[in-house]
Amino acid sequence: MAGPALVDPFGRRVRDLRISVTDRCNLRCQYCMAEDMTFLPRGELLSFEEIERVARVCVTRFGFDGIRLTGGEPTVRADLATLVRMLAGLAGPDGQPVDVAMTTNGVTLGLVADQLRQAGLSRVNISCDSLRRERFASITRRDRLGAVLEGVDAAVAAGFSPVKVNVVTMRGVNDDEAVDFASFGREKGVQIRFIEFMPLDADDAWSMDQVVPATETVAAIAAVYPLEPVRHGAEPAARYRYLDGRGELGVIPSVTRPFCGDCDRVRVTAEGQLRTCLFAMDEHDLRAVLRDGGSDDDLARAIEAAVGTKWAGHRIGQVSFVRPGRSMSQIGG
Ligand code: SAM
Ligand code: SF4
């Protein structure tokens, strides 16, 4: 049966599992979802037991050490703390613990931060693309900035460490807020991570000229708050430290400097399709294995076979790039 490590055809060890727990959301960010999305019927979603089985095979057989819950908006799935507890209890082949994290829009985090922390969630990334109320409402099509900011405070108060705030930078939309976000991060003690806009929007309106290069964002902030780079490993974020010691920020140059060469991830959509890349054209049906009575060995073989198809990387910006048929909220960001 499978060996302890799962290595793709390009020699990258796969050890990070991103699980979408729902395709539903309480916001409608322009760059992610259409206003009138059609959502999956409940029965199509993996149950908590099914999610736990996939995660258990990845952790106990292949030594995955990171799980991130995402969506859609993970906190709209009822009783999420129960799932967190199930996943946080997993341990690798040598008994090593697994790190369970979540990416959330923060809208309802104020209500659930404490219970998720107690259930074993270790870290949260909260997405927020503007600190200006009207602009936030225009980007997300919902007037919920106040709730998101309460969510950031609740995450800090609940003891998540670090708390990160994800900002998708878009030309002409919020590219004038880099320094405001840096100031916000320094005041709140949270790490801001600026993410380049990727072609996964529901209305297919993405174009290269809307991408704000991470280097530009760093230069704008460094002019106000001097920075130095932090050496880092396989993570996609390039990290910088404020020279005055007041924390760090990160930039994710997914478009201008893709980190595919270090990619250690696979994703499972809410309906149990394994994807080896955000931009993959193919999906591998783990739900069929689960619901057709497959054993853990069958599941491990299906995961191994899927990882055997992982490509070298996406080709955004090149003529050969083809965007996937599904948008970000359907894939699980
Ligand atoms: N609803 C949660 C949230 O917004 O954090 C989790 C799911 S969301 C799809 C995950 C992350 O993907 C968010 O940080 C979001 O900003 C980011 N995202 C969505 N669409 C994107 C796009 N087209 N380009 C870059 N990032 C995107
Ligand atoms: Fe919802 Fe997150 Fe997509 Fe915004 S980015 S619409 S919050 S899933």
Side-chain angles (χ1 to χ4, degrees):
M1 195 49 247
L6 197 52
V7 178
D8 79 6
F10 297 90
R12 296 166 297 194
R13 173 153 184 212
V14 177
R15 59 197 310 164
D16 184 38
L17 179 63
R18 309 252 148 166
I19 304 171
S20 172
V21 297
T22 177
D23 61 336
R24 287 165 199 259
C25 189
N26 42 11
L27 299 182
R28 289 290 182 280
C29 303
Q30 308 257 9
Y31 55 71
C32 175
M33 267 187 156
E35 179 64 84
D36 58 346
M37 292 292 287
T38 308
F39 296 114
L40 294 165
R42 291 259 176 252
E44 300 265 314
L45 299 186
L46 293 192
S47 66
F48 284 175
E49 289 69 27
E50 289 170 330
I51 292 174
E52 193 267 348
R53 251 189 95 193
V54 172
R56 183 159 40 80
V57 166
C58 289
V59 172
T60 60
R61 301 225 176 176
F62 298 124
F64 280 42
D65 49 16
I67 296 176
R68 179 170 292 272
L69 301 178
T70 180
E73 172 49 34
T75 60
V76 305
R77 178 109 184 217
D79 208 14
L80 187 68
T82 298
L83 176 65
V84 168
R85 195 166 288 110
M86 289 160 83
L87 300 177
L90 297 172
D94 301 322
Q96 68 273 31
V98 61
D99 181 71
V100 184
M102 176 175 76
T103 304
T104 171
N105 63 28
V107 169
T108 55
L109 196 55
L111 303 174
V112 292
D114 281 330
Q115 73 187 78
L116 292 175
R117 180 89 185 108
Q118 279 157 24
L121 191 72
S122 64
R123 295 178 298 120
V124 285
N125 288 34
I126 301 165
S127 305
C128 179
D129 304 318
S130 178
L131 295 169
R132 303 180 194 178
R133 182 175 166 189
E134 282 178 18
R135 186 180 282 179
F136 179 96
S138 150
I139 295 171
T140 64
R141 303 190 182 102
R142 300 288 186 272
D143 185 9
R144 302 306 307 274
L145 176 62
V148 174
L149 297 180
E150 282 171 24
V152 172
D153 289 339
V156 172
F160 291 109
S161 179
V163 172
K164 296 182 183 171
V165 172
N166 289 359
V167 182
V168 178
T169 41
M170 291 160 283
R171 181 74 69 207
V173 176
N174 63 352
D175 50 343
D176 53 351
E177 287 193 65
V179 173
D180 290 353
F181 269 110
S183 304
F184 175 80
R186 288 161 55 86
E187 268 164 36
K188 298 272 181 192
V190 301
Q191 283 183 28
I192 310 294
R193 294 174 10 132
F194 296 92
I195 304 172
E196 290 177 351
F197 180 31
M198 295 183 282
L200 288 167
D201 49 321
D203 359 325
D204 203 0
W206 181 93
S207 66
M208 199 62 165
D209 56 12
Q210 293 168 283
V211 176
V212 181
T215 47
E216 182 183 318
T217 304
V218 171
I221 295 170
V224 180
Y225 301 119
L227 292 167
E228 67 178 2
V230 178
R231 287 175 66 86
H232 64 95
E235 63 192 309
R239 287 162 43 205
Y240 294 84
R241 179 186 301 125
Y242 294 110
L243 287 184
D244 64 5
R246 291 196 52 193
E248 283 187 12
L249 64 84
V251 289
I252 308 195
S254 356
V255 177
T256 59
R257 202 162 49 79
F259 41 87
C260 305
D262 289 324
C263 180
D264 61 356
R265 300 179 180 169
V266 287
R267 295 165 191 278
V268 176
T269 67
E271 76 271 50
Q273 305 296 308
L274 190 144
R275 298 177 63 92
T276 56
C277 174
L278 261 181
F279 297 94
M281 304 307 285
D282 299 320
E283 299 188 336
H284 305 263
D285 193 354
L286 300 185
R287 191 182 63 184
V289 179
L290 290 161
R291 296 195 180 170
D292 291 349
S295 63
D296 284 357
D297 282 351
D298 294 328
L299 204 49
R301 268 190 289 272
I303 294 167
E304 222 170 5
V307 167
T309 69
K310 191 166 159 78
W311 59 16
H314 68 69
R315 299 191 189 84
I316 300 173
Q318 299 176 28
V319 280
S320 52
F321 176 72
V322 183
R323 58 167 287 162
R326 307 226 269 166
S327 57
M328 189 65 125
S329 66
Q330 297 166 315
I331 294 171

